Amino acid sequence: MNLIPIPAFSDNYLWLLHDGQRALIVDPGDAAPVLRVLQENGLQLGSILVTHHHPDHTGGVAELHAATGAPVHGPAREAIPEPFQRLQDGDTVQTLGLDFQTIDVPGHTAGHIAFYTPEMDGRPLLFCGDTLFSGGCGRLFEGTPAQMLASLDRLAALPGNTRVCCTHEYTLGNLRFALAVEPDNEELIGYHARCAALRDQGRPTLPTSLAQELLINPFLRTRQATVMEAARRFDPAAHDDNTVFAAIRQWKNQFK
Ligand code: ZN
Ligand code: FE
């Protein structure tokens, strides 16, 4: 299997997975670069997976569906281009010989879903849209901090070796904030250096792994003493799981 992040717009990745003949695409905000990759590699598009309704994730769906006939699978509770199979939590999409499980992850949008398969070339694989980023998480446009924390908790419970395919190259900006939260986190300092080197070479920092994120991502570490203390420096009222998470999210929103 080949897993390819197709760059689009200023910082999106449209994730394409293929076996040399058939492909799936996740969150095609633009059709043109996907059609180009399909054509260059002689691939037939088997499925279009959509995590949430934002235009940078859905802008190419109708054109790709029209051009290839590939079925569209998306969140049951969101408006994306019709027709599509409406997925509820726990529903499965079978494609490329893989079973992708639907995980409800509200927070960034109200009906946001993620796609998880327990085994692809020996490791689990997660397409998480704008819920989890390397070193960060999505902004809360339609959800509460408690919802987003519960969603991230579900993702954090997946196996540590899960490859995590995030849809934006936000890593270095996120890590700059993460270092403000946890300046003494040695793993974070090393990870930041490795990611900066990748970006200097024009390479993606993604996919990341869940084990890596658990060590460096402040939004997965809000129950660590270091992160709780930092949250209280920003907002002295932060006192429990949800208010600490909310404080870290608010701090990131204001961080320059
Ligand atoms: Zn989004
Ligand atoms: Fe996005």
Side-chain angles (χ1 to χ4, degrees):
M1 288 286 198
N2 297 279
L3 181 62
I4 303 172
I6 303 175
F9 312 118
S10 58
D11 50 34
N12 284 71
Y13 291 126
L14 321 180
W15 288 97
L16 185 128
L17 183 66
H18 76 85
D19 62 8
Q21 294 182 316
R22 287 169 66 78
L24 69 81
I25 187 76
V26 184
D27 286 353
D30 192 6
V34 179
L35 289 168
R36 204 175 309 130
V37 170
L38 293 172
Q39 193 176 15
E40 282 169 3
N41 295 279
L43 301 169
Q44 193 193 341
L45 190 62
S47 306
I48 300 168
L49 308 184
V50 176
T51 64
H52 69 292
H53 69 85
H54 285 159
D56 62 313
H57 299 250
T58 57
V61 168
E63 186 181 340
L64 282 175
H65 176 68
T68 66
V72 182
H73 309 269
R77 295 181 289 122
E78 299 211 343
I80 71 164
E82 303 276 356
F84 73 102
Q85 184 202 1
R86 314 188 92 87
L87 297 170
Q88 313 262 12
D89 189 60
D91 285 349
T92 297
V93 177
Q94 294 181 321
T95 183
L96 298 179
L98 300 169
D99 283 352
F100 284 92
Q101 299 160 18
T102 305
I103 305 175
D104 270 349
V105 284
H108 177 68
T109 63
H112 199 303
I113 59 174
F115 297 93
Y116 173 75
T117 189
E119 216 253 83
M120 192 285 283
D121 288 352
R123 285 175 64 183
L125 175 66
L126 175 70
F127 296 112
C128 56
D130 286 353
T131 297
L132 177 61
F133 296 123
S134 185
C137 76
R139 285 176 184 268
L140 304 182
F141 288 120
E142 299 173 11
T144 63
Q147 276 179 319
M148 186 56 125
L149 179 59
S151 295
L152 292 175
D153 281 344
R154 287 192 72 180
L155 299 184
L158 298 172
N161 66 345
T162 300
R163 261 173 302 219
V164 180
C165 299
C166 319
T167 40
H168 289 274
E169 182 60 70
Y170 288 159
T171 309
L172 288 185
N174 287 338
L175 295 180
R176 214 164 52 76
F177 173 71
L179 284 164
V181 177
E182 289 190 286
D184 301 324
N185 180 334
E186 294 290 339
E187 184 62 38
L188 174 57
I189 293 164
Y191 182 66
H192 177 255
R194 296 196 294 280
C195 289
L198 286 170
R199 295 309 293 150
D200 280 347
Q201 299 164 24
R203 290 163 63 192
T205 60
L206 301 166
T208 181
S209 75
L210 207 48
Q212 180 68 75
E213 293 307 308
L214 289 169
L215 293 172
I216 61 94
N217 189 324
F219 295 94
L220 299 183
R221 295 172 58 77
T222 52
R223 298 176 185 94
Q224 298 285 324
T226 48
V227 177
M228 289 167 60
E229 283 161 23
R232 280 190 205 108
R233 284 197 294 277
F234 175 80
D235 178 1
H239 65 279
D240 63 7
D241 284 359
N242 291 333
T243 51
V244 167
F245 183 85
I248 296 290
R249 185 60 260 180
Q250 187 57 37
W251 182 7
K252 172 70 162 64
N253 291 349
Q254 298 171 213
F255 187 74
K256 292 196 182 77

